[in-house]
Amino acid sequence: MTDVTDPAPNPHATAEQVQAAYADPKLANVLYHDWEAGTYDEKWSISYDERCITYATDVFTAVAGEQDQPYPTAMELGSGTGFFLLNLMQGGLIKRGSVTDLSPGMVQVALRNAEKLGLDVDGRVADAERIPYPDDSFDLVIGHAVLHHIPDVQAAVREVLRVLKPGGRFVFCGEPTKIGDTYARKLGQLTWWLTTKVTKLPALSAWRRPQEELDESSRAAALEAVVDLHTFDPAELERTALGAGAIDVRAVTEEFAAALVGWPIRTFEAAVPQEKLTLRWRLFAYMVWLRLSAVDKKLLAKVLPKKLFYNVMITGVKPPAATEL
């Protein structure tokens, strides 16, 4: 359960709060993610079955390497609905977990998901730059698509190292690269424009979401632009982690062809009524992404510069205690 001092979710922000959020990235993150918490898993096709268990364990292993045994304790920073932690726990990589997020709504949903899955998880509302756990608390700290929301990334990595046990590891995945974010946003904007224009045609009107829903999505997208604070160059991200005090730092990138196709598909899915997205469509979209990801891993990763790929993942280790040196 959440601590009694944790604030309650606020999924219905006032116009004044939204306006204030444009000048306050942390407030924007709280409002946006409280707003999105109830539908976030559906929006991003997040599940807690074999599909996402395999994805989570594969990306973790791609950057952290093969693990001989489960980590006894792990914390997910900026957990959202618990996607990364809960699927890694189901994949056997973690025994006991903690979810943290700046959004009370996300922590609430993550704990609810953990309870449904029967997993041993606690949770706290937490600022990544001031994590509310004692020194040397965890064997592992993880995050997925969180660093780009944090104002001071190096301060957050220092906090991560503080709460890690000596020799403990952090693994952050799903962060946008500078170049990858540029083409993903352009493709998403073009797809949204095309889909909302074409579905105005009478013959395709059944594929058009109600205007009020489209307007709300546009408002959410505008606030999303405020909460996305950074994009990363892989080498610069490595230097940030080293500067925070980590050792054995390594950055890996993924998704080029998969991102070029994946972002238009995700945007199209957000722009049309959900009942139009049949199981056949979802399986088709997933298989396309899976096959293009294989092309990225087996071919394109060997010939293209790391900075061209959409996602960057990074890992590092807290130096051992002085007595262990």
Side-chain angles (χ1 to χ4, degrees), residues 185-263:
R185 285 188 183 277
K186 294 296 183 185
L187 287 168
Q189 290 165 0
L190 178 60
T191 305
W192 181 267
W193 182 83
L194 284 172
T195 305
T196 54
K197 292 295 182 185
V198 169
T199 53
K200 285 183 177 180
L201 297 172
L204 295 173
S205 60
W207 285 82
R208 185 171 179 83
R209 287 174 60 188
Q211 189 60 45
E212 60 270 21
E213 291 183 11
L214 293 173
D215 290 343
E216 182 159 342
S217 291
S218 295
R219 287 193 294 272
L223 196 56
E224 186 176 17
V226 179
V227 304
D228 290 345
L229 302 178
H230 308 288
T231 55
F232 300 100
D233 175 272
E236 289 177 3
L237 187 56
E238 287 179 337
R239 288 193 288 272
T240 297
L242 289 167
I247 61 173
D248 297 337
V249 172
R250 175 175 176 251
V252 176
T253 54
E254 63 168 5
E255 287 197 28
F256 179 70
L260 291 176
V261 175
W263 275 100

Side-chain angles (χ1 to χ4, degrees), residues 24-30 33 75-79 100-102 126-131 141-160 172-173 175-176 224 226-232 237 240 314:
D24 184 343
K26 290 187 179 181
L27 175 60
N29 266 291
V30 173
H33 289 100
M75 180 194 76
E76 183 171 6
L77 191 70
S79 64
T100 65
D101 200 287
L102 196 59
D127 186 327
E129 297 168 21
R130 293 185 297 276
I131 300 172
V141 172
I142 59 173
H144 193 279
V146 60
L147 296 181
H148 67 284
H149 293 311
I150 299 172
D152 190 336
V153 175
Q154 191 165 87
V157 176
R158 282 196 294 268
E159 272 292 274
V160 165
F172 291 102
C173 301
E175 300 298 336
E224 186 176 17
V226 179
V227 304
D228 290 345
L229 302 178
H230 308 288
T231 55
F232 300 100
L237 187 56
T240 297
I314 189 164

Side-chain angles (χ1 to χ4, degrees), residues 33-73:
H33 289 100
D34 273 3
W35 185 358
E36 292 276 287
T39 58
Y40 196 78
D41 284 351
E42 180 182 56
K43 175 181 177 180
W44 294 104
S45 297
I46 290 172
S47 62
Y48 301 91
D49 53 18
E50 192 60 35
R51 176 176 66 89
C52 281
I53 293 170
T54 299
Y55 171 81
T57 55
D58 282 353
V59 296
F60 181 93
T61 303
V63 64
E66 296 287 344
Q67 305 301 308
D68 294 331
Q69 58 186 11
Y71 288 88
T73 59

